[in-house]
């Protein structure tokens, strides 16, 4: 039998198993969520914050002090430079972009410009792209390298295209490649807004979504430089907005989100939030602060997450290496933290692989999802999200995925022959 015939036979056998596997979204698994079950009841009837606030009542737009200290630890900021929000950092990002466009954030509103566009490192986070598109902002792809965005391309665009108004960044264990921005990249990103100093009505912002700041599962784990400290050196701190949350630390639907920045950034947020809320859920903020007992407890908690996640990511690496290694048909990242592995197959094959996997009972993130408008120009990138599945399911999924990639590549080879 030819290689193609063998692969077709193997694939048919996989389909006959009637599998139901899912690697579509980067959600915590049940074992991870169980780590935070003690959140329920942790207050034990004591609803008073360290500053005497009764968290059951109105007020406190920026959040209670003890949770802002924890947010500062995640973001690398003083607690004075942090607002603690509700359960979703994505919500805070949406509010930020709306504020940038329509109201101004420590600067003039972007709506005064004839065109607004965002720089989007690719492959990247699909929710950033969906948010940006929903608010009517054009998106421009910039390549994501092993050390962060291609800064030569980014700086060229910021200098020469005044429509460019902000850049999305996931700086540590980036979604989906797992890369961490190096020191030079952080410094160049912090300096970007200064390129617009001569164009005061066209400010440029860096949106720093540090979703995986503490999500290390392998040692040694990479250290990320503080963009805020670099921005202070460049005089650009009023153009850097940072985000994080506990959504992949405690309960994914019931955590605490954070936005951080300079005094001017937070004052703008105060003015923007004032008409829409008299404060976020301070009871939940206090629950989290008591549960962690401070930032050291937070770090100990993340070590427990690492113990759960490490075997799943090891299974991904082992499965891909055994199925696809040294075949010249695929490459993939080897992250030390975060929630994803990025797989690149030969150009023109990602959509076919995802469909083959679907037909065999394995759901994957749609091909193209890691690019603006769902359009991967090479049709080659596939995001693997192993966190929600059990270890056994991850191992089975890698068997299916490897077969699908090899089959798609073999079919393509025959078609081109």
């Amino acid at each position: 039998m030819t290689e193609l015939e063998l692969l077709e036979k193997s694939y048919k056998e996989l389909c006959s198993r009637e599998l139901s596997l899912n690697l579509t979204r980067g959600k915590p698994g049940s074992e991870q969520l169980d780590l935070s079950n003690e959140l329920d009841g942790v207050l034990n009837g004591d609803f008073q914050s360290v500053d005497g606030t009764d968290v059951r009542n109105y007020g406190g737009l920026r959040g209670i002090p003890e949770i802002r200290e924890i947010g500062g630890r995640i973001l690398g900021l003083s607690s004075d430079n942090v607002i603690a929000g509700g359960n979703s950092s994505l919500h805070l990002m949406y509010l930020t972009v709306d504020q940038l466009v329509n109201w101004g954030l420590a600067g003039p509103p972007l709506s005064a410009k004839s065109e607004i566009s965002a720089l989007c490192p690719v492959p990247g986070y699909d929710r950033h792209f969906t948010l940006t598109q929903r608010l009517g902002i054009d998106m421009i792809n910039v390549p994501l390298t092993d050390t962060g965005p291609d800064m030569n391309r980014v700086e060229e665009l910021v200098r020469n295209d005044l429509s460019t108004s902000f850049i999305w960044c996931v700086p540590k264990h980036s979604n989906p490649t797992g890369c961490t921005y190096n020191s030079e990249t952080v410094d160049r990103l912090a300096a970007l807004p200064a390129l617009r100093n001569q164009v005061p009505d066209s400010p440029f912002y860096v949106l720093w979504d540090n979703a995986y700041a503490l999500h290390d599962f392998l040692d040694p784990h990479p250290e990320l430089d503080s963009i805020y400290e670099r921005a202070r050196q460049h005089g650009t701190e009023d153009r850097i907005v940072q985000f994080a949350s506990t959504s992949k630390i405690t309960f994914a639907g019931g955590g605490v989100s954070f936005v951080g920045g300079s005094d001017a950034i937070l004052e703008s947020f105060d003015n923007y939030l004032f008409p829409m809320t008299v404060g976020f859920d301070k009871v939940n903020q206090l629950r989290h602060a008591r549960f962690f007992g401070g930032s050291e407890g937070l770090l100990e908690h993340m070590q427990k997450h690492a113990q759960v996640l490490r075997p799943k990511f090891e299974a991904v690496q082992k499965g891909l290496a055994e199925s696809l290694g040294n075949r010249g048909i695929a490459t993939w990242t080897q992250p030390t933290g975060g929630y994803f592995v990025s797989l690149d197959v030969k150009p023109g094959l990602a959509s076919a692989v995802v469909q083959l996997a679907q037909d065999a009972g394995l759901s994957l993130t749609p091909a193209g999802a890691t690019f603006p408008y769902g359009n991967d120009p090479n049709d080659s990138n596939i995001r693997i999200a192993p966190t929600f599945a059990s270890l056994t399911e991850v191992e089975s999924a890698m068997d299916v995925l490897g077969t699908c990639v090899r089959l798609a590549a073999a079919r393509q080879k025959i078609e081109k022959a």
Side-chain angles (χ1 to χ4, degrees), residues 38-49 54-56 64 66 281-291:
E38 292 181 10
L39 273 170
D40 281 348
V42 71
L43 297 183
N44 196 28
D46 179 4
F47 295 96
Q48 185 169 297
S49 174
D54 183 340
V55 298
R56 299 170 298 179
I64 61 174
E66 52 264 62
D281 184 351
K282 297 187 298 299
V283 174
N284 194 39
Q285 292 177 9
L286 185 59
R287 284 200 314 159
H288 279 74
R290 294 264 180 86
F291 175 70

Side-chain angles (χ1 to χ4, degrees), residues 221-387:
H221 57 260
E223 297 294 334
L224 178 68
D225 283 7
S226 168
I227 192 170
Y228 186 71
E229 291 305 316
R230 295 298 184 98
R232 289 179 64 185
Q233 295 168 14
H234 291 289
T236 60
E237 64 267 31
D238 292 345
R239 297 292 179 262
I240 312 293
V241 190
Q242 298 181 235
F243 307 93
S245 78
T246 70
S247 290
K248 290 185 174 72
I249 295 175
T250 56
F251 293 156
V256 180
S257 61
F258 305 98
V259 59
S262 68
D263 291 342
I265 290 286
L266 294 199
E267 287 168 7
S268 283
F269 255 97
D270 286 342
N271 293 330
Y272 178 78
L273 292 171
F274 180 77
M276 69 177 74
T277 181
V278 290
F280 295 101
D281 184 351
K282 297 187 298 299
V283 174
N284 194 39
Q285 292 177 9
L286 185 59
R287 284 200 314 159
H288 279 74
R290 294 264 180 86
F291 175 70
F292 293 128
S295 56
E296 290 305 313
L298 170 64
L299 297 180
E300 292 174 3
H301 185 75
M302 294 311 298
Q303 291 174 6
K304 298 175 184 177
H305 276 273
Q307 292 171 7
V308 175
L309 290 179
R310 190 180 301 115
K312 297 182 182 181
F313 279 84
E314 289 174 346
V316 171
Q317 296 299 325
K318 181 175 183 289
L320 292 177
E322 290 178 350
S323 295
L324 303 175
N326 301 316
R327 295 179 180 273
I329 57 174
T331 60
W332 58 92
T333 58
Q334 300 182 46
T336 60
Y339 264 55
F340 306 99
V341 173
S342 183
L343 173 68
D344 282 310
V345 297
K346 282 190 170 183
L349 287 186
S351 297
V353 170
V354 170
Q355 186 60 58
L356 284 169
Q358 182 70 45
D359 293 342
L362 169 61
S363 296
L364 296 169
T365 303
T370 55
F371 285 73
Y373 311 107
N375 178 26
D376 175 358
N378 291 322
D379 189 24
S380 63
N381 186 251
I382 299 171
R383 187 180 73 179
I384 302 172
T387 56

Side-chain angles (χ1 to χ4, degrees), residues 114-127:
S114 58
E115 293 181 89
I116 307 171
S117 61
L119 301 184
C120 299
V122 292
Y125 179 31
D126 54 332
R127 293 282 184 150

